[in-house]
Amino acid sequence: MPPNTMPPTNNHVLLALPPTAASASVLRSLRAEGVSVSPVSDGIGVLDAVRNRGPALVVLDVELPGPDQAAVLAAVHHEAPNVPVIAVTPRERRLGLLGLLRGDRDDFLVRPFAVDELAARIRLRLRLGPAVENTVLRHGELVVDTEFGDVTIDGQPVSLSPTEYALLMALIAEPGAVVPPHRLAREVWSEPASPNLVQVYISYLRRKIGSERIRTVRGEGYVLEA
C-alpha cells in the first residue's frame, strides 16, 4: 500500500498509549482544549489509524502490545512521512530508540512522565511541527524549515544538536516575547531541567546563531531577536 498522502488535520492526535490513568488524563486535557484525539491501545490499531485518519501527530508508546514497536515506528514513518512522532519509552530503552527517530522531526519522552509535560510537548508539536501548512519559519535572517529540520542564517546552513534545535523552536514560537526558563525546560527536556542547564544550552545556541539573537531579560527569561 502506498504511503498516506492525505493532508493531516491540523490538530488531530493519534494517542497510542496503554489505557492507564495518565493516558486518560492526557486525553481529557487535550480534548478540553479542543484538540481532536484518537486513542489507540495496540500496534495494529496505530497503523490502521495512520492510514485512515490522517493525524497531525502520533504519540507512540514503544511497549504497546502487538507487533514489534520498532517495526511499527518504521511503518508510521513510511505511511506518513510528514507526520512527527513523540515516542514514549522506559528509561532503559531510550538509547536504542534514538537511532530510530528522524532527527529533529521526532521526539521522545521517558516513562513515567508528567501528564502536563506530555500535553505541553503535544501542543508545541501541533503548533510548530511539519504537519502545519507553513513549514518554513522566518525571523529576520534566521530561517527554519520544520519539515526537514534545516536551519539557515542569511542562506548559510547552521548545524544544531536535537536539544539546541528544540530550544530554538521553543523560542521562535514566541518571537520578540520573553520566554521564561521554566517553560523552556518543560518544552525541551524530557526530564526536569534546572535553570542552569537551560542557561548552558542557551549559550550553546548563541554560539551557533549569534549571541545578539538571544537577549537575556534578567529575572524573566530569554527573547529571540530578529
Side-chain angles (χ1 to χ4, degrees):
M1 180 178 293
N4 181 10
T5 56
M6 180 191 308
T9 304
N10 279 342
N11 74 338
H12 186 75
V13 177
L14 179 61
L15 196 66
L17 298 174
T20 63
S23 60
S25 181
V26 172
L27 182 64
R28 288 193 302 271
S29 174
L30 293 173
R31 285 180 171 170
E33 297 178 20
V35 178
S36 172
V37 186
S38 294
V40 180
S41 57
D42 62 76
I44 295 296
V46 171
L47 297 181
D48 288 343
V50 167
R51 289 166 181 159
N52 298 318
R53 300 179 193 175
L57 173 68
V58 176
V59 180
L60 175 65
D61 191 298
V62 300
E63 292 194 331
L64 282 181
D68 178 75
Q69 293 308 297
V72 172
L73 182 58
V76 169
H77 288 163
H78 174 74
E79 294 287 342
N82 292 326
V83 176
V85 176
I86 299 177
V88 179
T89 176
R91 183 178 301 276
E92 62 272 15
R93 292 189 61 181
R94 71 189 188 283
L95 295 180
L97 176 68
L98 292 178
L100 305 177
L101 302 181
R102 298 167 300 178
D104 298 312
R105 185 176 302 180
D106 294 334
D107 194 4
F108 77 97
L109 190 64
V110 172
R111 178 167 24 87
F113 55 83
V115 169
D116 59 349
E117 180 178 0
L118 177 56
R121 283 171 180 254
I122 290 172
R123 287 191 294 268
L124 181 66
R125 286 285 168 169
L126 290 178
R127 187 167 69 243
L128 299 176
V132 297
E133 291 183 4
N134 182 13
T135 63
V136 177
L137 304 175
R138 301 178 185 274
H139 190 61
E141 297 175 344
L142 176 66
V143 178
V144 181
D145 185 333
T146 60
E147 181 172 1
F148 299 103
D150 295 332
V151 179
T152 60
I153 295 177
D154 199 20
Q156 299 302 309
V158 178
S159 178
L160 301 180
S161 71
T163 301
E164 292 163 352
Y165 180 87
L167 186 57
L168 175 60
M169 295 299 278
L171 289 168
I172 206 171
E174 300 183 58
V178 179
V179 185
H182 69 82
R183 190 187 307 168
L184 294 174
R186 182 183 65 201
E187 294 185 354
V188 174
W189 281 269
S190 60
E191 300 174 0
S194 69
N196 287 341
L197 182 60
V198 175
Q199 185 177 11
V200 167
Y201 273 89
I202 285 287
S203 70
Y204 293 161
L205 187 57
R206 279 176 167 147
R207 292 174 192 170
K208 294 185 177 182
I209 70 171
S211 59
E212 74 283 356
R213 287 192 169 87
I214 303 176
R215 176 166 56 91
T216 299
V217 179
R218 189 174 299 276
E220 296 185 40
Y222 303 96
V223 179
L224 184 66
E225 304 275 31

